[in-house]
């Protein structure tokens, strides 16, 4: 498959890998199906062609897949980090996380999974709005002193007022008629 796989290609890859895992049987540790599954999980998790929930959540035989991944994790040392990463990605999809939370042996065997499973499930409801959420924050007050006096050191004498060259006349009231 090419790098820009579509959602249908990714879904087909995931479905094929799950079917291969189910056909393997309960004791197999063949890695071919894992490599396909890992590729599909990686493509689904990047979210280009659909959400991970859509692509990974609809997969069937979740229990069989999890038992297979646990067997591989325990028997194939070379694949441990890859398997843990795949499990953690699956755990971010709520339908997978529900099943994983029910199987204590899975989280006990894969320490990286515990932290992901301890996160509360995401809420799909928008936050409740209240009047308290609409608080106006005042802006900073404008400085009242002129900038020149703020720059003068405190020990310096205050500048002398400037003398005006011509006195100004006070305004007069209009004459009454």
């Amino acid at each position: 498959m090419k790098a820009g796989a579509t959602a249908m290609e990714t879904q087909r890859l995931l479905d094929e890998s799950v079917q291969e895992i189910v056909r393997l049987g309960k004791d197999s540790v063949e890695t071919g199906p894992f490599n396909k599954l890992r590729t599909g999980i990686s493509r689904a998790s990047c979210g280009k062609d659909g959400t991970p929930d859509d692509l990974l959540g609809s997969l069937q035989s979740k229990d069989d897949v999890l038992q297979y991944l646990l067997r591989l994790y325990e028997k194939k040392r070379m694949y441990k980090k890859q398997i843990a990463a795949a499990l953690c990605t699956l755990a971010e999809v709520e339908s997978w996380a529900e099943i994983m939370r029910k199987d204590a042996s899975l989280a006990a065997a894969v320490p990286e999974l515990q932290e992901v499973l301890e996160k509360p499930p995401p809420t799909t409801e928008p936050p409740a709005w209240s009047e308290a959420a609409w608080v106006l924050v005042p802006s900073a007050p404008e400085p009242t002193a002129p900038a020149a006096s703020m720059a003068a050191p405190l020990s310096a004498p205050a500048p002398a007022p400037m003398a005006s060259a011509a006195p100004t006349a006070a305004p007069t009231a209009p004459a009454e008629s």
Side-chain angles (χ1 to χ4, degrees):
M1 270 187 234
K2 53 189 177 282
T6 66
M8 286 177 39
E9 291 171 330
T10 301
Q11 191 68 60
R12 185 172 42 85
L13 179 66
L14 288 164
D15 290 338
E16 286 174 3
S17 63
V18 169
Q19 289 171 2
E20 287 179 29
I21 290 169
V22 170
R23 273 184 270 168
L24 284 176
K26 301 288 181 192
D27 298 325
S28 178
V29 289
E30 185 181 320
T31 58
F34 169 68
N35 291 324
K36 274 179 133 173
L37 179 67
R38 183 174 55 98
T39 301
I41 290 171
S42 176
R43 288 181 183 169
S45 68
C46 73
K48 286 183 186 175
D49 299 315
T51 66
D53 285 336
D54 293 340
L55 295 168
L56 298 171
S58 64
L59 291 176
Q60 301 300 312
S61 305
K62 289 178 176 68
D63 286 323
D64 291 334
V65 171
L66 292 174
Q67 291 309 311
Y68 167 76
L69 291 174
L70 183 58
R71 273 194 315 276
L72 278 183
Y73 185 85
E74 292 171 345
K75 306 248 173 159
K76 298 285 186 176
R77 291 183 56 137
M78 189 170 84
Y79 287 87
K80 275 190 170 198
K81 288 182 180 180
Q82 295 172 16
I83 295 165
L87 285 167
C88 288
T89 301
L90 288 173
E92 292 176 4
V93 177
E94 188 54 33
S95 60
W96 284 90
E98 282 179 31
I99 294 171
M100 290 180 190
R101 286 185 191 107
K102 292 176 187 174
D103 186 358
S105 66
L106 188 62
V110 184
E112 299 90 339
L113 206 63
Q114 291 175 353
E115 184 178 323
V116 177
L117 292 175
E118 288 173 358
K119 291 180 189 173
T123 58
T124 56
E125 297 178 18
W129 293 101
S130 68
E131 297 213 13
W134 299 96
V135 176
L136 295 176
V137 178
S139 61
E142 293 293 322
T144 56
S149 68
M150 292 173 70
L154 294 177
S155 61
M162 295 184 71
S164 136
T168 58
T172 58
E176 287 184 27
S177 16

